[in-house]
Amino acid sequence: MSPEPYYNSIAFISDIHANIEALEAVLADIEKQKVSAIYCLGDLVGYGPDPQTCLQKIRMLQSAGKIVRMVPGNHDVGIVKKNLTIFNSVARQANEWTIKALQDTPQWVILQELANEKPVQEVGRFILVHSTLNPEPEKWEYLKIKNAAQNFVERKIVFVGHSHIPTLYSKYTAGKDWNPINLFGNEGHYIMPPIKPEALAPGEASTQYRAKLSSFPSMIANVGSVGQPRDYNPCARYLLHITVDYNDYLEYRQAAYDVQKTVEKLKNRGLDCDKELAIRLATGGRSTFSDGAKPPAWFPF
Ligand SMILES: [Mn+2]
């Protein structure tokens, strides 16, 4: 008699950026994946038009025991401290609006509590941090090939967000037998391949990439962004850690959502930055339509 297989999966979500349509699409897909817990890597708000509903949703998931870990992001902290000097003009303008929209609401307290969570959290062999393991968290460095080496921790997987680009980093480069994933270039990193945006209809989701892990991987995984993807794939993104019997996998998921609906909300908000933010959502991270993408027929600006 063969025993029933053991199965467990954990979802990692990050950079929601007040995009409730994207968040709901990801949560609907997570619901289907038999996830035992959700870990959130920060930047719940900033940029997007729905900070209150996103914070309410997150708090509900915490109260229900579904989101079990949270680390703060630079937008969460900057908004709570009302210190927007680190942001570029687009982010600053949207975040000034976010402060005004939130500060007299019950959701402001939720954001304050998140901003005061520990910025680096360790759970078993997982480490969660929004940007990098730089001991000065307020620097909010971007994890790139050049500083990846300082962010590997032996036999741990470091999960990050912040750049909004789903990327896996391996400590070992191609050609070494140890590397079980065998897809990394000489610099030891791998950015998820983009898909055609029309490949999925709103409400649909799919696996973007699945990697089998060795027993004790030393890896860094950028989980990608739920609410403002920047690798030219407009789908909302997140990452699953899956255990099946003795094997572990990392699976990148992409969930299509009604981008038009979010973009219409930006149009109605009417800030100077909203056209650029709308182009980012429609293209998966471009700042203008001039560099290789056309506005969709519905684009309202
Ligand atoms: Mn972010």
Side-chain angles (χ1 to χ4, degrees):
M1 183 180 116
S2 60
E4 187 188 333
Y6 173 79
Y7 182 93
N8 187 37
S9 66
I10 294 167
F12 295 82
I13 61 174
S14 189
D15 295 276
I16 294 152
H17 285 300
N19 183 340
I20 189 69
E21 287 77 24
L23 177 60
E24 281 176 348
V26 160
L27 293 173
D29 190 54
I30 286 175
E31 198 65 45
K32 294 176 195 157
Q33 305 301 318
K34 293 186 259 169
V35 163
S36 63
I38 303 172
Y39 294 170
C40 179
L41 299 171
D43 276 4
L44 304 188
V45 297
Y47 296 129
D50 284 311
Q52 279 169 264
T53 38
C54 285
L55 288 166
Q56 267 163 354
K57 189 94 201 167
I58 293 292
R59 177 45 52 97
M60 222 183 67
L61 291 164
Q62 281 183 306
S63 307
K66 292 187 175 177
I67 291 184
V68 298
R69 290 279 177 162
M70 302 268 281
V71 292
N74 54 316
H75 286 254
D76 308 317
V77 172
I79 286 167
V80 161
K81 292 187 173 171
K82 300 185 182 175
N83 178 2
L84 306 181
T85 52
I86 65 159
F87 296 108
N88 66 31
S89 64
V90 168
R92 198 177 323 127
Q93 198 180 47
N95 289 350
E96 277 164 9
W97 176 88
T98 305
I99 291 170
K100 285 195 202 120
L102 278 181
Q103 64 184 352
D104 298 322
T105 72
Q107 286 73 42
W108 185 251
V109 179
I110 302 175
L111 191 61
Q112 281 178 319
E113 286 171 11
L114 166 67
N116 287 315
E117 294 272 4
K118 266 174 63 184
V120 181
Q121 296 185 33
E122 202 169 330
V123 188
R125 59 194 169 99
F126 302 154
I127 295 175
L128 317 177
V129 63
H130 182 69
S131 63
T132 69
L133 295 174
N134 186 319
E136 294 168 83
E138 299 285 307
K139 286 203 162 168
W140 303 108
E141 279 184 338
Y142 284 92
L143 206 145
K144 292 183 174 155
I145 297 162
K146 63 175 164 50
N147 60 351
Q150 294 114 58
N151 287 278
F152 286 113
V153 181
E154 211 53 53
R155 296 185 167 206
K156 303 266 182 192
I157 309 176
V158 180
F159 292 92
V160 303
H162 197 40
S163 76
H164 301 202
I165 298 178
T167 314
L168 280 177
Y169 298 83
S170 164
K171 188 170 179 182
Y172 298 90
T173 54
K176 299 213 176 178
D177 295 345
W178 187 90
N179 185 350
I181 295 174
N182 198 27
L183 52 77
F184 296 97
N186 287 328
E187 292 179 298
H189 80 294
Y190 181 74
I191 298 176
M192 296 307 118
I195 56 147
K196 291 199 178 105
E198 64 271 25
L200 293 175
E204 291 179 346
S206 68
T207 299
Q208 186 180 10
Y209 183 74
R210 193 184 232 212
K212 186 168 187 283
L213 300 178
S214 74
S215 307
F216 299 105
S218 304
M219 295 192 65
I220 305 166
N222 188 310
V223 310
S225 169
V226 171
Q228 196 196 90
R230 290 180 192 160
D231 61 328
Y232 306 154
N233 173 354
C235 287
R237 317 289 268 287
Y238 74 100
L239 182 63
L240 292 174
H241 180 280
I242 302 170
T243 304
V244 187
D245 288 334
Y246 299 98
N247 294 314
D248 292 328
Y249 303 86
L250 288 179
E251 176 170 327
Y252 281 90
R253 301 279 303 169
Q254 53 198 359
Y257 70 97
D258 190 351
V259 178
Q260 183 179 356
K261 191 171 173 186
T262 318
V263 163
E264 296 280 357
K265 289 179 182 174
L266 292 172
K267 170 85 180 169
N268 292 336
R269 184 169 71 174
L271 304 175
D272 287 343
C273 63
D274 280 331
K275 184 177 177 184
E276 180 174 335
L277 291 175
I279 295 171
R280 286 190 201 174
L281 294 184
T283 60
R286 294 178 200 273
S287 308
T288 68
F289 284 119
S290 59
D291 57 351
K294 286 202 183 81
W298 50 259
F299 199 72
F301 286 87

